[in-house]
Amino acid sequence: MNDNPMKLVVVGAGGRMGQTLIRVIQETDGAMLHAAIEREGSPFIGKDAGELAGVGTIGVPVTADPLQAFVDAEGVLDFTSPAATVEFAGLAAQARIVHVIGTTGCSLSDDQKIEAASRHACIIKSGNMSLGVNLLGVLVEQAARALPAENWDIEVLEMHHKHKVDAPSGTALLLGDAAARGRGIELQANAVKVRDGHTGARPAGTIGFATLRGGSVVGDHSVILAGEGELVTLSHSARDRSIFARGAVAAALWGRGQKPGLYDMLDVLGLSH
Ligand SMILES: NC(=O)C1=CN([C@@H]2O[C@H](COP(=O)(O)OP(=O)(O)OC[C@H]3O[C@@H](n4cnc5c(N)ncnc54)[C@H](OP(=O)(O)O)[C@@H]3O)[C@@H](O)[C@H]2O)C=CC1
Ligand SMILES: O=C(O)C1=N[C@H](C(=O)O)C[C@H](O)C1
């Protein structure tokens, strides 16, 4: 048991989630901001991380040197891009520190590299770090198990702000995966992510995805189970990015005592399947 506050590095410190993470770390007993990282050439380099996040001066300047930052740190919170996350996974593994990954849109090859890094350090990766969405995933799995695939079609609908660059969202895929698990099938082989033109009738047993983008929506997700003459809809609406940041900080604190390996938020929250 370590009573000292956990020393955390925020990478992508100037981003929407980076700034939220800095604010949440400042509010969390048992966690402290050790370093804040942005890419080389970023206009945020040299700025105080607290000022950047709107919580006043905290004496931690933003730098572009993750290697140096990781040396004395205990964990890294990473909501950046797939390429950056793969690089940070290698560095965090070398430093043997906890790596919390919220980045979405990773390819199969990115995920294989992240899994390789998890042989040396504890990695917690999830398409959504909030308690509400992870509970929703458990409910979706139960509903998909209970409702027969011959008569019940599953569609995952999501909406996010206009700046989001990946689709379907990491959360939509997490929920699709939960539905597939409930049905005892592989999501990859049964997902329909695009429909356009004369598509033909809906193949039974598939899991469909629909993506909306616009405005400043933080993240809305619905899983619709459509039967003959009735619909069951399970939904989550994120109103504030701090729900993801609080989950990420909780994951880092949980990871402090764990063996190397690849974990998700269900492990952190004790909702594991
Ligand atoms: N799992 C979850 O619960 C959640 C996941 N996300 C995911 O987190 C990711 C980030 O989202 P968001 O904060 O909205 O995006 P932003 O674009 O606002 O932030 C990303 C930040 O990372 C920086 N960055 C990119 N590459 C590097 C690098 N090599 N070194 C240092 N910094 C880097 C970017 O800098 P620059 O602008 O210069 O490229 C930017 O400041 C997305 O994948 C999103 O889907 C978001 C919310 C919740
Ligand atoms: O990019 C975002 O903003 C979000 N990304 C995550 C996702 O892809 O699901 C989580 C959240 O919905 C916000």
Side-chain angles (χ1 to χ4, degrees), residues 19 23 34 73 93 95 109 130 178 187 192 196 199 209 218 238 246 272:
Q19 294 184 34
R23 285 195 287 276
H34 177 69
S109 143
S130 76
L187 179 62
V192 175
D196 187 27
T199 59
F209 291 85
V218 175
R246 286 200 302 270
S272 222

Side-chain angles (χ1 to χ4, degrees), residues 7 41 64 109 130-131 183 188 193 206 230 266 272:
K7 294 196 270 180
S109 143
S130 76
L131 173 59
R183 283 193 166 169
Q188 184 90 338
K193 294 182 183 163
T206 52
E230 55 182 332
L266 295 177
S272 222

Side-chain angles (χ1 to χ4, degrees), residues 104 127-128 160-161 164 166 169-172 218-219 221 241 244:
T104 57
N128 196 304
H160 282 88
H161 54 94
K164 186 160 178 63
D166 56 306
S169 69
T171 310
V218 175
H221 293 87
R241 288 188 173 82
F244 313 127

Side-chain angles (χ1 to χ4, degrees), residues 218-220 236-244:
V218 175
D220 286 353
H236 181 269
S237 184
R239 304 292 166 87
D240 186 323
R241 288 188 173 82
S242 62
I243 62 171
F244 313 127

Side-chain angles (χ1 to χ4, degrees), residues 12-15 19 38-39 41-49 52 61-63:
Q19 294 184 34
E38 260 296 335
R39 67 164 92 241
S42 159
F44 301 120
I45 302 296
K47 292 217 157 75
D48 185 89
L52 180 61
V62 178
T63 77

